[in-house]
Amino acid sequence: MTRKAVQQIMLGTVTRSEKEALDTLRQIKAAGYDGLELNGFMIRPSSLMVRLLTKAAGMPVGKGGHLDWPNLLKETGLGCVSLHEDLRTVTKDPKSVAKEAEALGCDQVVITGMYRFDYGNEEAVKDLAANLNTQGERLKEEGISLLYHNHNCEFRKVAPRRTAFDVLVEETNPEFVNFEFDSYWPTEAGVSALALMEKLGERLKLYHINDRGTRVVGPSMTPILKSDSMELGFGNMNLEALTRQALKVGVKAIILESHKNWIDKSPVKSLQVSSKFLNKHL
């Protein structure tokens, strides 16, 4: 059965204490979700640099690193579908990463993408793929599967008809590395998300869902509007077709990850509205 989950990055402003986190997770459960995707840098105290980089991306880390996440999951009946980690942490100590994932009750670790990395350099991307293969093999020995999560940087061209994402798909070994596909970012980059999902086939293990559109109502100052994250079904993406493809290949979870453009600036209100789409189509 495919699970419905929420990405923890949405919850930085509503999990600032044990009490607030418990209330937020209960609301997530009541909306019809049955899981969370947690981030290593949000369930452990994080460095100033990580907090600044995350804030620059518009998503507050919050104070979740001081909370008892295994207990919060147990108290609310939510499962952990996967754990996001950075490649450096996995490379340094895969056994510890595997133990942390197991303690949370999940068997999938996701690489969240590379900071300060040249996705336009084909040799660098090939080296990244080789490292992913190595770390994926090491995690497999610990009973953990390694997935790679895309953003839009992977759709830079490294050759006239080849993107960095093409390199990562072709140069990684499906025995050790598979994918958590985020359809928002290739759409933002002008690439067909559905074609990419079809290309991945059963290598697509988790699906990050979001919608893309605008909240502008009435006349606009110019004919060019800026698109942003939207609640599911309120943007312009063909989420029905994308969801069907994800279910066709048996993804383990469909995970909501909307960005800062929330209803009334409330991630909880936003995820409650998005749950209506997921409850209908899953």
Side-chain angles (χ1 to χ4, degrees):
M1 183 182 76
T2 300
R3 304 177 78 172
K4 292 173 285 189
V6 172
Q7 224 294 333
Q8 186 187 10
I9 198 68
M10 294 179 64
L11 309 178
T13 60
V14 289
T15 53
R16 292 165 293 192
S17 68
E18 204 84 20
K19 183 178 182 298
E20 185 180 42
L22 192 60
D23 180 61
T24 295
L25 268 57
R26 283 173 173 159
Q27 291 184 76
I28 290 172
K29 180 72 172 180
Y33 299 92
D34 54 18
L36 289 182
E37 179 174 63
L38 298 177
N39 303 320
F41 66 91
M42 291 182 75
I43 62 173
R44 300 186 299 266
S46 55
S47 68
L48 176 61
M49 179 59 70
V50 168
R51 294 198 301 274
L52 290 175
L53 287 170
T54 308
K55 185 177 181 179
M59 306 294 280
V61 172
K63 298 181 179 179
H66 303 285
L67 306 182
D68 184 347
W69 286 97
N71 185 64
L72 286 167
L73 293 174
K74 182 179 179 181
E75 285 286 314
T76 56
L78 292 169
C80 178
V81 299
S82 54
L83 176 65
H84 269 215
E85 274 296 354
D86 64 278
L87 185 55
R88 181 179 180 180
T89 298
V90 174
T91 302
K92 182 179 178 181
D93 195 348
K95 288 183 182 292
S96 292
V97 171
K99 287 180 180 178
E100 186 166 46
E102 290 168 359
L104 293 164
C106 69
D107 61 1
Q108 297 181 109
V109 166
V110 183
I111 299 301
T112 59
M114 308 294 291
Y115 286 88
R116 298 184 293 275
F117 181 81
D118 186 358
Y119 279 95
N121 183 319
E122 186 170 12
E123 290 307 312
V125 179
K126 285 183 177 181
D127 288 344
L128 171 59
N131 194 12
L132 289 170
N133 285 330
T134 298
Q135 306 316 321
E137 185 172 11
R138 295 172 76 190
L139 285 176
K140 185 177 180 180
E141 292 172 356
E142 305 298 325
I144 300 294
S145 299
L146 181 66
L147 309 181
Y148 182 89
H149 176 282
N150 66 279
H151 293 90
N152 58 1
C153 54
E154 290 86 359
F155 302 102
R156 290 176 62 182
K157 292 289 181 62
V158 297
R161 294 184 177 273
R162 198 177 195 209
T163 67
F165 193 74
D166 293 328
V167 175
L168 291 173
V169 173
E170 294 160 13
E171 298 281 335
T172 52
N173 184 342
E175 185 177 350
F176 304 129
V177 181
N178 287 292
F179 292 85
E180 175 179 73
F181 185 74
D182 189 316
S183 59
Y184 180 93
W185 292 115
T187 300
E188 190 273 341
V191 180
S192 170
L194 183 58
L196 289 168
M197 292 172 79
E198 291 171 344
K199 178 179 179 178
L200 286 174
E202 293 186 355
R203 294 190 72 184
L204 171 59
K205 303 299 183 182
L206 296 173
Y207 172 39
H208 264 210
I209 194 169
N210 194 359
D211 210 344
R212 188 165 184 257
T214 179
R215 295 198 189 283
V216 172
V217 295
S220 57
M221 182 65 70
T222 76
I224 300 173
L225 302 178
K226 180 181 178 181
S227 292
D228 205 339
S229 173
M230 296 289 290
E231 285 69 40
L232 304 185
F234 288 83
N236 299 314
M237 294 178 65
N238 188 356
L239 296 182
E240 290 84 357
L242 297 171
T243 300
R244 283 196 299 271
Q245 179 62 27
L247 294 174
K248 180 180 178 181
V249 298
V251 294
K252 293 185 177 181
I254 294 181
I255 303 158
L256 177 70
E257 184 191 1
S258 65
H259 309 137
K260 57 188 175 180
N261 187 40
W262 299 311
I263 298 170
D264 297 334
K265 298 184 179 180
S266 168
V268 173
K269 287 183 180 180
S270 182
L271 66 85
Q272 287 171 333
V273 170
S274 288
S275 71
K276 297 175 183 177
F277 176 92
L278 291 173
N279 292 337
K280 178 180 179 180
H281 293 282
L282 269 71

PDB file of all heavy atoms in Angstrom, residues 186-222:
ATOM      1  N   PRO A 186      11.459  19.696 -12.014  1.00  0.00           N
ATOM      2  CA  PRO A 186      11.618  19.634 -13.470  1.00  0.00           C
ATOM      3  C   PRO A 186      10.561  20.460 -14.199  1.00  0.00           C
ATOM      4  O   PRO A 186      10.845  21.061 -15.235  1.00  0.00           O
ATOM      5  CB  PRO A 186      11.491  18.142 -13.797  1.00  0.00           C
ATOM      6  CG  PRO A 186      10.863  17.535 -12.609  1.00  0.00           C
ATOM      7  CD  PRO A 186      11.272  18.368 -11.448  1.00  0.00           C
ATOM      8  N   THR A 187       9.347  20.515 -13.634  1.00  0.00           N
ATOM      9  CA  THR A 187       8.303  21.361 -14.225  1.00  0.00           C
ATOM     10  C   THR A 187       8.749  22.813 -14.208  1.00  0.00           C
ATOM     11  O   THR A 187       8.617  23.542 -15.202  1.00  0.00           O
ATOM     12  CB  THR A 187       6.982  21.205 -13.449  1.00  0.00           C
ATOM     13  OG1 THR A 187       6.573  19.833 -13.499  1.00  0.00           O
ATOM     14  CG2 THR A 187       5.888  22.074 -14.042  1.00  0.00           C
ATOM     15  N   GLU A 188       9.324  23.243 -13.086  1.00  0.00           N
ATOM     16  CA  GLU A 188       9.846  24.612 -12.970  1.00  0.00           C
ATOM     17  C   GLU A 188      10.968  24.848 -13.972  1.00  0.00           C
ATOM     18  O   GLU A 188      11.133  25.965 -14.476  1.00  0.00           O
ATOM     19  CB  GLU A 188      10.334  24.842 -11.535  1.00  0.00           C
ATOM     20  CG  GLU A 188      10.687  26.268 -11.181  1.00  0.00           C
ATOM     21  CD  GLU A 188      12.130  26.625 -11.513  1.00  0.00           C
ATOM     22  OE1 GLU A 188      12.948  25.697 -11.686  1.00  0.00           O
ATOM     23  OE2 GLU A 188      12.423  27.815 -11.619  1.00  0.00           O
ATOM     24  N   ALA A 189      11.712  23.794 -14.300  1.00  0.00           N
ATOM     25  CA  ALA A 189      12.839  23.909 -15.233  1.00  0.00           C
ATOM     26  C   ALA A 189      12.414  23.728 -16.689  1.00  0.00           C
ATOM     27  O   ALA A 189      13.266  23.772 -17.582  1.00  0.00           O
ATOM     28  CB  ALA A 189      13.906  22.876 -14.871  1.00  0.00           C
ATOM     29  N   GLY A 190      11.121  23.501 -16.923  1.00  0.00           N
ATOM     30  CA  GLY A 190      10.634  23.356 -18.290  1.00  0.00           C
ATOM     31  C   GLY A 190      10.785  21.965 -18.859  1.00  0.00           C
ATOM     32  O   GLY A 190      10.801  21.774 -20.080  1.00  0.00           O
ATOM     33  N   VAL A 191      10.874  20.962 -17.997  1.00  0.00           N
ATOM     34  CA  VAL A 191      11.063  19.571 -18.411  1.00  0.00           C
ATOM     35  C   VAL A 191       9.800  18.777 -18.084  1.00  0.00           C
ATOM     36  O   VAL A 191       9.110  19.073 -17.103  1.00  0.00           O
ATOM     37  CB  VAL A 191      12.280  18.956 -17.673  1.00  0.00           C
ATOM     38  CG1 VAL A 191      12.503  17.515 -18.089  1.00  0.00           C
ATOM     39  CG2 VAL A 191      13.525  19.788 -17.936  1.00  0.00           C
ATOM     40  N   SER A 192       9.494  17.760 -18.890  1.00  0.00           N
ATOM     41  CA  SER A 192       8.308  16.936 -18.649  1.00  0.00           C
ATOM     42  C   SER A 192       8.528  16.009 -17.460  1.00  0.00           C
ATOM     43  O   SER A 192       9.303  15.052 -17.542  1.00  0.00           O
ATOM     44  CB  SER A 192       7.962  16.104 -19.887  1.00  0.00           C
ATOM     45  OG  SER A 192       6.966  15.139 -19.570  1.00  0.00           O
ATOM     46  N   ALA A 193       7.830  16.267 -16.367  1.00  0.00           N
ATOM     47  CA  ALA A 193       7.951  15.415 -15.181  1.00  0.00           C
ATOM     48  C   ALA A 193       7.421  14.012 -15.480  1.00  0.00           C
ATOM     49  O   ALA A 193       7.995  13.022 -15.022  1.00  0.00           O
ATOM     50  CB  ALA A 193       7.197  16.034 -14.011  1.00  0.00           C
ATOM     51  N   LEU A 194       6.341  13.912 -16.242  1.00  0.00           N
ATOM     52  CA  LEU A 194       5.752  12.610 -16.537  1.00  0.00           C
ATOM     53  C   LEU A 194       6.711  11.752 -17.354  1.00  0.00           C
ATOM     54  O   LEU A 194       6.880  10.555 -17.079  1.00  0.00           O
ATOM     55  CB  LEU A 194       4.426  12.777 -17.283  1.00  0.00           C
ATOM     56  CG  LEU A 194       3.668  11.481 -17.592  1.00  0.00           C
ATOM     57  CD1 LEU A 194       3.364  10.710 -16.317  1.00  0.00           C
ATOM     58  CD2 LEU A 194       2.373  11.785 -18.352  1.00  0.00           C
ATOM     59  N   ALA A 195       7.366  12.343 -18.339  1.00  0.00           N
ATOM     60  CA  ALA A 195       8.334  11.583 -19.155  1.00  0.00           C
ATOM     61  C   ALA A 195       9.480  11.069 -18.292  1.00  0.00           C
ATOM     62  O   ALA A 195       9.950   9.934 -18.470  1.00  0.00           O
ATOM     63  CB  ALA A 195       8.870  12.465 -20.279  1.00  0.00           C
ATOM     64  N   LEU A 196       9.920  11.876 -17.334  1.00  0.00           N
ATOM     65  CA  LEU A 196      10.998  11.452 -16.449  1.00  0.00           C
ATOM     66  C   LEU A 196      10.547  10.318 -15.530  1.00  0.00           C
ATOM     67  O   LEU A 196      11.300   9.367 -15.286  1.00  0.00           O
ATOM     68  CB  LEU A 196      11.484  12.631 -15.609  1.00  0.00           C
ATOM     69  CG  LEU A 196      12.264  13.706 -16.369  1.00  0.00           C
ATOM     70  CD1 LEU A 196      12.435  14.942 -15.514  1.00  0.00           C
ATOM     71  CD2 LEU A 196      13.627  13.178 -16.820  1.00  0.00           C
ATOM     72  N   MET A 197       9.322  10.402 -15.030  1.00  0.00           N
ATOM     73  CA  MET A 197       8.802   9.330 -14.177  1.00  0.00           C
ATOM     74  C   MET A 197       8.684   8.036 -14.957  1.00  0.00           C
ATOM     75  O   MET A 197       8.989   6.945 -14.445  1.00  0.00           O
ATOM     76  CB  MET A 197       7.460   9.743 -13.586  1.00  0.00           C
ATOM     77  CG  MET A 197       7.569  10.890 -12.587  1.00  0.00           C
ATOM     78  SD  MET A 197       5.974  11.543 -12.036  1.00  0.00           S
ATOM     79  CE  MET A 197       5.499  10.311 -10.817  1.00  0.00           C
ATOM     80  N   GLU A 198       8.256   8.141 -16.194  1.00  0.00           N
ATOM     81  CA  GLU A 198       8.160   6.941 -17.045  1.00  0.00           C
ATOM     82  C   GLU A 198       9.547   6.369 -17.321  1.00  0.00           C
ATOM     83  O   GLU A 198       9.727   5.145 -17.350  1.00  0.00           O
ATOM     84  CB  GLU A 198       7.445   7.298 -18.343  1.00  0.00           C
ATOM     85  CG  GLU A 198       5.968   7.607 -18.150  1.00  0.00           C
ATOM     86  CD  GLU A 198       5.301   8.169 -19.391  1.00  0.00           C
ATOM     87  OE1 GLU A 198       6.021   8.602 -20.320  1.00  0.00           O
ATOM     88  OE2 GLU A 198       4.064   8.188 -19.430  1.00  0.00           O
ATOM     89  N   LYS A 199      10.535   7.233 -17.503  1.00  0.00           N
ATOM     90  CA  LYS A 199      11.908   6.782 -17.733  1.00  0.00           C
ATOM     91  C   LYS A 199      12.463   6.054 -16.508  1.00  0.00           C
ATOM     92  O   LYS A 199      13.132   5.022 -16.635  1.00  0.00           O
ATOM     93  CB  LYS A 199      12.798   7.972 -18.086  1.00  0.00           C
ATOM     94  CG  LYS A 199      14.269   7.598 -18.294  1.00  0.00           C
ATOM     95  CD  LYS A 199      15.106   8.817 -18.660  1.00  0.00           C
ATOM     96  CE  LYS A 199      16.576   8.416 -18.841  1.00  0.00           C
ATOM     97  NZ  LYS A 199      17.416   9.575 -19.254  1.00  0.00           N
ATOM     98  N   LEU A 200      12.163   6.580 -15.325  1.00  0.00           N
ATOM     99  CA  LEU A 200      12.651   5.947 -14.098  1.00  0.00           C
ATOM    100  C   LEU A 200      12.002   4.586 -13.861  1.00  0.00           C
ATOM    101  O   LEU A 200      12.634   3.677 -13.318  1.00  0.00           O
ATOM    102  CB  LEU A 200      12.384   6.856 -12.898  1.00  0.00           C
ATOM    103  CG  LEU A 200      13.264   8.089 -12.752  1.00  0.00           C
ATOM    104  CD1 LEU A 200      12.778   8.951 -11.601  1.00  0.00           C
ATOM    105  CD2 LEU A 200      14.721   7.700 -12.549  1.00  0.00           C
ATOM    106  N   GLY A 201      10.745   4.452 -14.249  1.00  0.00           N
ATOM    107  CA  GLY A 201      10.045   3.182 -14.044  1.00  0.00           C
ATOM    108  C   GLY A 201      10.047   2.774 -12.587  1.00  0.00           C
ATOM    109  O   GLY A 201       9.755   3.579 -11.698  1.00  0.00           O
ATOM    110  N   GLU A 202      10.426   1.532 -12.321  1.00  0.00           N
ATOM    111  CA  GLU A 202      10.402   1.025 -10.949  1.00  0.00           C
ATOM    112  C   GLU A 202      11.574   1.515 -10.108  1.00  0.00           C
ATOM    113  O   GLU A 202      11.643   1.204  -8.919  1.00  0.00           O
ATOM    114  CB  GLU A 202      10.350  -0.502 -10.964  1.00  0.00           C
ATOM    115  CG  GLU A 202       9.031  -1.034 -11.521  1.00  0.00           C
ATOM    116  CD  GLU A 202       8.895  -2.530 -11.413  1.00  0.00           C
ATOM    117  OE1 GLU A 202       9.874  -3.194 -10.984  1.00  0.00           O
ATOM    118  OE2 GLU A 202       7.818  -3.040 -11.749  1.00  0.00           O
ATOM    119  N   ARG A 203      12.458   2.305 -10.699  1.00  0.00           N
ATOM    120  CA  ARG A 203      13.507   2.939  -9.889  1.00  0.00           C
ATOM    121  C   ARG A 203      12.936   4.113  -9.090  1.00  0.00           C
ATOM    122  O   ARG A 203      13.608   4.643  -8.214  1.00  0.00           O
ATOM    123  CB  ARG A 203      14.667   3.415 -10.768  1.00  0.00           C
ATOM    124  CG  ARG A 203      15.440   2.283 -11.442  1.00  0.00           C
ATOM    125  CD  ARG A 203      16.711   2.793 -12.085  1.00  0.00           C
ATOM    126  NE  ARG A 203      17.710   3.141 -11.075  1.00  0.00           N
ATOM    127  CZ  ARG A 203      18.886   3.691 -11.361  1.00  0.00           C
ATOM    128  NH1 ARG A 203      19.189   4.001 -12.627  1.00  0.00           N
ATOM    129  NH2 ARG A 203      19.758   3.973 -10.397  1.00  0.00           N
ATOM    130  N   LEU A 204      11.719   4.508  -9.410  1.00  0.00           N
ATOM    131  CA  LEU A 204      11.017   5.541  -8.646  1.00  0.00           C
ATOM    132  C   LEU A 204      10.410   4.885  -7.413  1.00  0.00           C
ATOM    133  O   LEU A 204       9.422   4.162  -7.505  1.00  0.00           O
ATOM    134  CB  LEU A 204       9.934   6.166  -9.522  1.00  0.00           C
ATOM    135  CG  LEU A 204       8.937   7.120  -8.861  1.00  0.00           C
ATOM    136  CD1 LEU A 204       9.639   8.306  -8.219  1.00  0.00           C
ATOM    137  CD2 LEU A 204       7.913   7.602  -9.883  1.00  0.00           C
ATOM    138  N   LYS A 205      11.005   5.119  -6.261  1.00  0.00           N
ATOM    139  CA  LYS A 205      10.587   4.455  -5.026  1.00  0.00           C
ATOM    140  C   LYS A 205       9.716   5.352  -4.135  1.00  0.00           C
ATOM    141  O   LYS A 205       8.856   4.858  -3.411  1.00  0.00           O
ATOM    142  CB  LYS A 205      11.808   3.998  -4.227  1.00  0.00           C
ATOM    143  CG  LYS A 205      12.740   3.066  -5.009  1.00  0.00           C
ATOM    144  CD  LYS A 205      12.038   1.780  -5.422  1.00  0.00           C
ATOM    145  CE  LYS A 205      12.991   0.833  -6.133  1.00  0.00           C
ATOM    146  NZ  LYS A 205      12.297  -0.405  -6.590  1.00  0.00           N
ATOM    147  N   LEU A 206       9.966   6.667  -4.171  1.00  0.00           N
ATOM    148  CA  LEU A 206       9.174   7.651  -3.418  1.00  0.00           C
ATOM    149  C   LEU A 206       8.872   8.808  -4.349  1.00  0.00           C
ATOM    150  O   LEU A 206       9.689   9.161  -5.208  1.00  0.00           O
ATOM    151  CB  LEU A 206       9.938   8.167  -2.199  1.00  0.00           C
ATOM    152  CG  LEU A 206      10.285   7.164  -1.103  1.00  0.00           C
ATOM    153  CD1 LEU A 206      11.190   7.810  -0.054  1.00  0.00           C
ATOM    154  CD2 LEU A 206       9.029   6.605  -0.442  1.00  0.00           C
ATOM    155  N   TYR A 207       7.697   9.421  -4.171  1.00  0.00           N
ATOM    156  CA  TYR A 207       7.286  10.528  -5.036  1.00  0.00           C
ATOM    157  C   TYR A 207       6.952  11.755  -4.207  1.00  0.00           C
ATOM    158  O   TYR A 207       6.073  11.712  -3.354  1.00  0.00           O
ATOM    159  CB  TYR A 207       6.075  10.092  -5.876  1.00  0.00           C
ATOM    160  CG  TYR A 207       5.423  11.209  -6.670  1.00  0.00           C
ATOM    161  CD1 TYR A 207       6.188  12.191  -7.290  1.00  0.00           C
ATOM    162  CD2 TYR A 207       4.040  11.254  -6.803  1.00  0.00           C
ATOM    163  CE1 TYR A 207       5.594  13.209  -8.020  1.00  0.00           C
ATOM    164  CE2 TYR A 207       3.429  12.266  -7.535  1.00  0.00           C
ATOM    165  CZ  TYR A 207       4.208  13.244  -8.145  1.00  0.00           C
ATOM    166  OH  TYR A 207       3.612  14.254  -8.861  1.00  0.00           O
ATOM    167  N   HIS A 208       7.694  12.854  -4.456  1.00  0.00           N
ATOM    168  CA  HIS A 208       7.410  14.137  -3.824  1.00  0.00           C
ATOM    169  C   HIS A 208       6.414  14.897  -4.678  1.00  0.00           C
ATOM    170  O   HIS A 208       6.689  15.171  -5.845  1.00  0.00           O
ATOM    171  CB  HIS A 208       8.696  14.968  -3.708  1.00  0.00           C
ATOM    172  CG  HIS A 208       9.355  14.852  -2.384  1.00  0.00           C
ATOM    173  ND1 HIS A 208      10.103  15.868  -1.830  1.00  0.00           N
ATOM    174  CD2 HIS A 208       9.381  13.846  -1.480  1.00  0.00           C
ATOM    175  CE1 HIS A 208      10.578  15.484  -0.656  1.00  0.00           C
ATOM    176  NE2 HIS A 208      10.147  14.251  -0.426  1.00  0.00           N
ATOM    177  N   ILE A 209       5.277  15.250  -4.084  1.00  0.00           N
ATOM    178  CA  ILE A 209       4.219  15.923  -4.837  1.00  0.00           C
ATOM    179  C   ILE A 209       4.032  17.358  -4.355  1.00  0.00           C
ATOM    180  O   ILE A 209       4.155  17.650  -3.174  1.00  0.00           O
ATOM    181  CB  ILE A 209       2.899  15.112  -4.740  1.00  0.00           C
ATOM    182  CG1 ILE A 209       1.889  15.591  -5.785  1.00  0.00           C
ATOM    183  CG2 ILE A 209       2.321  15.167  -3.323  1.00  0.00           C
ATOM    184  CD1 ILE A 209       0.688  14.656  -5.920  1.00  0.00           C
ATOM    185  N   ASN A 210       3.760  18.227  -5.300  1.00  0.00           N
ATOM    186  CA  ASN A 210       3.503  19.640  -5.049  1.00  0.00           C
ATOM    187  C   ASN A 210       2.771  20.149  -6.277  1.00  0.00           C
ATOM    188  O   ASN A 210       2.710  19.451  -7.291  1.00  0.00           O
ATOM    189  CB  ASN A 210       4.836  20.376  -4.857  1.00  0.00           C
ATOM    190  CG  ASN A 210       4.670  21.762  -4.254  1.00  0.00           C
ATOM    191  OD1 ASN A 210       3.564  22.209  -3.983  1.00  0.00           O
ATOM    192  ND2 ASN A 210       5.787  22.449  -4.048  1.00  0.00           N
ATOM    193  N   ASP A 211       2.188  21.325  -6.218  1.00  0.00           N
ATOM    194  CA  ASP A 211       1.562  21.915  -7.395  1.00  0.00           C
ATOM    195  C   ASP A 211       2.198  23.275  -7.633  1.00  0.00           C
ATOM    196  O   ASP A 211       2.834  23.850  -6.731  1.00  0.00           O
ATOM    197  CB  ASP A 211       0.042  22.039  -7.196  1.00  0.00           C
ATOM    198  CG  ASP A 211      -0.725  21.930  -8.512  1.00  0.00           C
ATOM    199  OD1 ASP A 211      -0.094  22.071  -9.590  1.00  0.00           O
ATOM    200  OD2 ASP A 211      -1.946  21.695  -8.470  1.00  0.00           O
ATOM    201  N   ARG A 212       2.028  23.789  -8.844  1.00  0.00           N
ATOM    202  CA  ARG A 212       2.696  25.034  -9.225  1.00  0.00           C
ATOM    203  C   ARG A 212       1.705  25.964  -9.908  1.00  0.00           C
ATOM    204  O   ARG A 212       1.052  25.577 -10.878  1.00  0.00           O
ATOM    205  CB  ARG A 212       3.878  24.744 -10.148  1.00  0.00           C
ATOM    206  CG  ARG A 212       4.742  25.958 -10.451  1.00  0.00           C
ATOM    207  CD  ARG A 212       6.067  25.507 -11.063  1.00  0.00           C
ATOM    208  NE  ARG A 212       6.936  26.661 -11.279  1.00  0.00           N
ATOM    209  CZ  ARG A 212       7.133  27.224 -12.465  1.00  0.00           C
ATOM    210  NH1 ARG A 212       6.533  26.747 -13.538  1.00  0.00           N
ATOM    211  NH2 ARG A 212       7.934  28.261 -12.581  1.00  0.00           N
ATOM    212  N   GLY A 213       1.571  27.175  -9.382  1.00  0.00           N
ATOM    213  CA  GLY A 213       0.630  28.122  -9.964  1.00  0.00           C
ATOM    214  C   GLY A 213       0.793  29.477  -9.312  1.00  0.00           C
ATOM    215  O   GLY A 213       1.869  29.839  -8.849  1.00  0.00           O
ATOM    216  N   THR A 214      -0.296  30.237  -9.236  1.00  0.00           N
ATOM    217  CA  THR A 214      -0.234  31.579  -8.649  1.00  0.00           C
ATOM    218  C   THR A 214      -1.486  31.870  -7.842  1.00  0.00           C
ATOM    219  O   THR A 214      -2.560  31.335  -8.129  1.00  0.00           O
ATOM    220  CB  THR A 214      -0.064  32.656  -9.743  1.00  0.00           C
ATOM    221  OG1 THR A 214      -0.020  33.948  -9.125  1.00  0.00           O
ATOM    222  CG2 THR A 214      -1.222  32.627 -10.733  1.00  0.00           C
ATOM    223  N   ARG A 215      -1.338  32.700  -6.822  1.00  0.00           N
ATOM    224  CA  ARG A 215      -2.479  33.109  -6.000  1.00  0.00           C
ATOM    225  C   ARG A 215      -3.066  34.445  -6.459  1.00  0.00           C
ATOM    226  O   ARG A 215      -4.004  34.941  -5.852  1.00  0.00           O
ATOM    227  CB  ARG A 215      -2.055  33.238  -4.532  1.00  0.00           C
ATOM    228  CG  ARG A 215      -1.637  31.940  -3.903  1.00  0.00           C
ATOM    229  CD  ARG A 215      -1.669  32.040  -2.395  1.00  0.00           C
ATOM    230  NE  ARG A 215      -1.063  30.875  -1.798  1.00  0.00           N
ATOM    231  CZ  ARG A 215      -1.647  29.691  -1.698  1.00  0.00           C
ATOM    232  NH1 ARG A 215      -2.873  29.525  -2.167  1.00  0.00           N
ATOM    233  NH2 ARG A 215      -1.035  28.666  -1.145  1.00  0.00           N
ATOM    234  N   VAL A 216      -2.524  35.033  -7.503  1.00  0.00           N
ATOM    235  CA  VAL A 216      -2.992  36.345  -7.942  1.00  0.00           C
ATOM    236  C   VAL A 216      -4.465  36.282  -8.332  1.00  0.00           C
ATOM    237  O   VAL A 216      -4.901  35.378  -9.043  1.00  0.00           O
ATOM    238  CB  VAL A 216      -2.159  36.841  -9.132  1.00  0.00           C
ATOM    239  CG1 VAL A 216      -2.764  38.107  -9.729  1.00  0.00           C
ATOM    240  CG2 VAL A 216      -0.722  37.106  -8.697  1.00  0.00           C
ATOM    241  N   VAL A 217      -5.249  37.247  -7.848  1.00  0.00           N
ATOM    242  CA  VAL A 217      -6.651  37.376  -8.239  1.00  0.00           C
ATOM    243  C   VAL A 217      -6.870  38.794  -8.757  1.00  0.00           C
ATOM    244  O   VAL A 217      -6.184  39.733  -8.340  1.00  0.00           O
ATOM    245  CB  VAL A 217      -7.613  37.096  -7.056  1.00  0.00           C
ATOM    246  CG1 VAL A 217      -7.500  35.661  -6.618  1.00  0.00           C
ATOM    247  CG2 VAL A 217      -7.336  38.032  -5.887  1.00  0.00           C
ATOM    248  N   GLY A 218      -7.814  38.956  -9.669  1.00  0.00           N
ATOM    249  CA  GLY A 218      -8.091  40.277 -10.204  1.00  0.00           C
ATOM    250  C   GLY A 218      -7.027  40.735 -11.181  1.00  0.00           C
ATOM    251  O   GLY A 218      -6.155  39.959 -11.583  1.00  0.00           O
ATOM    252  N   PRO A 219      -7.075  42.001 -11.574  1.00  0.00           N
ATOM    253  CA  PRO A 219      -6.113  42.522 -12.543  1.00  0.00           C
ATOM    254  C   PRO A 219      -4.684  42.441 -12.015  1.00  0.00           C
ATOM    255  O   PRO A 219      -4.439  42.575 -10.818  1.00  0.00           O
ATOM    256  CB  PRO A 219      -6.545  43.993 -12.712  1.00  0.00           C
ATOM    257  CG  PRO A 219      -7.964  44.037 -12.248  1.00  0.00           C
ATOM    258  CD  PRO A 219      -8.062  43.009 -11.154  1.00  0.00           C
ATOM    259  N   SER A 220      -3.730  42.226 -12.913  1.00  0.00           N
ATOM    260  CA  SER A 220      -2.319  42.198 -12.534  1.00  0.00           C
ATOM    261  C   SER A 220      -1.589  43.372 -13.169  1.00  0.00           C
ATOM    262  O   SER A 220      -1.982  43.866 -14.227  1.00  0.00           O
ATOM    263  CB  SER A 220      -1.668  40.883 -12.970  1.00  0.00           C
ATOM    264  OG  SER A 220      -1.805  40.700 -14.368  1.00  0.00           O
ATOM    265  N   MET A 221      -0.550  43.817 -12.513  1.00  0.00           N
ATOM    266  CA  MET A 221       0.197  44.984 -12.973  1.00  0.00           C
ATOM    267  C   MET A 221       0.815  44.751 -14.353  1.00  0.00           C
ATOM    268  O   MET A 221       0.829  45.629 -15.204  1.00  0.00           O
ATOM    269  CB  MET A 221       1.292  45.319 -11.959  1.00  0.00           C
ATOM    270  CG  MET A 221       2.108  46.552 -12.311  1.00  0.00           C
ATOM    271  SD  MET A 221       1.116  48.066 -12.289  1.00  0.00           S
ATOM    272  CE  MET A 221       0.818  48.213 -10.519  1.00  0.00           C
ATOM    273  N   THR A 222       1.331  43.523 -14.561  1.00  0.00           N
ATOM    274  CA  THR A 222       1.940  43.182 -15.848  1.00  0.00           C
ATOM    275  C   THR A 222       1.339  41.863 -16.328  1.00  0.00           C
ATOM    276  O   THR A 222       0.697  41.140 -15.550  1.00  0.00           O
ATOM    277  CB  THR A 222       3.466  43.003 -15.715  1.00  0.00           C
ATOM    278  OG1 THR A 222       3.740  41.723 -15.104  1.00  0.00           O
ATOM    279  CG2 THR A 222       4.087  44.106 -14.878  1.00  0.00           C
TER     280      THR A 222
END
